[in-house]
Amino acid sequence: MLTISNLTQDGATLTHNNTLKVGDIIPISLKYDDIEINTKVKIVKVSEKFAQAEFFNLSEADANQILYLSMMHPEQPAVNVTETDHEQSISATNDAE
């Protein structure tokens, strides 16, 4: 299971179990209350436990919503990963409810 340990307007730090590699493109769905953002991240740096991911093709509206989430909700959403045809998909939701 992946989790987001840091969320910024430009990307996220993901914790993982040595499953990601530089260049991986991962669809991501962030959901928190009434905010839902569907985009992709590209893994740009990897260690055994952490991976740095950058958002790309992100609309200005989605970037602003991510900035809002990172500032107003310092607790990070849980992230679930499923594998589909050599592609990992991340779904982050607000589990605090």
Side-chain angles (χ1 to χ4, degrees), residues 48-85:
E48 187 176 315
K49 189 174 177 182
F50 298 101
Q52 297 292 322
E54 292 181 352
F55 294 110
F56 65 96
N57 295 331
L58 192 63
S59 72
E60 186 176 340
D62 285 346
N64 288 335
Q65 288 183 318
I66 290 170
L67 178 60
Y68 167 79
L69 286 175
S70 67
M71 291 172 51
M72 300 304 294
H73 302 286
E75 71 284 358
Q76 300 298 320
V79 178
N80 300 313
V81 178
T82 56
E83 296 251 357
T84 56
D85 296 331

Side-chain angles (χ1 to χ4, degrees), residues 13 16 19 30 76 80:
T13 301
H16 68 110
T19 56
L30 297 168
Q76 300 298 320
N80 300 313

Side-chain angles (χ1 to χ4, degrees), residues 6 8 13 20 39 55 57 59 62 80 83 86 88 91 93:
N6 186 20
T8 69
T13 301
L20 298 174
T39 188
F55 294 110
N57 295 331
S59 72
D62 285 346
N80 300 313
E83 296 251 357
H86 307 290
Q88 294 181 330
S91 174
T93 56

Side-chain angles (χ1 to χ4, degrees), residues 2-53:
L2 298 177
T3 58
I4 295 175
S5 59
N6 186 20
L7 179 65
T8 69
Q9 187 175 11
D10 299 320
T13 301
L14 308 174
T15 57
H16 68 110
N17 294 323
N18 209 19
T19 56
L20 298 174
K21 64 184 185 303
V22 172
D24 283 351
I25 307 270
I26 302 171
I28 187 167
S29 177
L30 297 168
K31 297 176 187 174
Y32 197 99
D33 294 334
D34 61 341
I35 297 174
E36 183 172 344
I37 302 163
N38 295 300
T39 188
K40 291 183 179 181
V41 295
K42 181 176 184 176
I43 305 302
V44 295
K45 186 176 180 183
V46 176
S47 69
E48 187 176 315
K49 189 174 177 182
F50 298 101
Q52 297 292 322

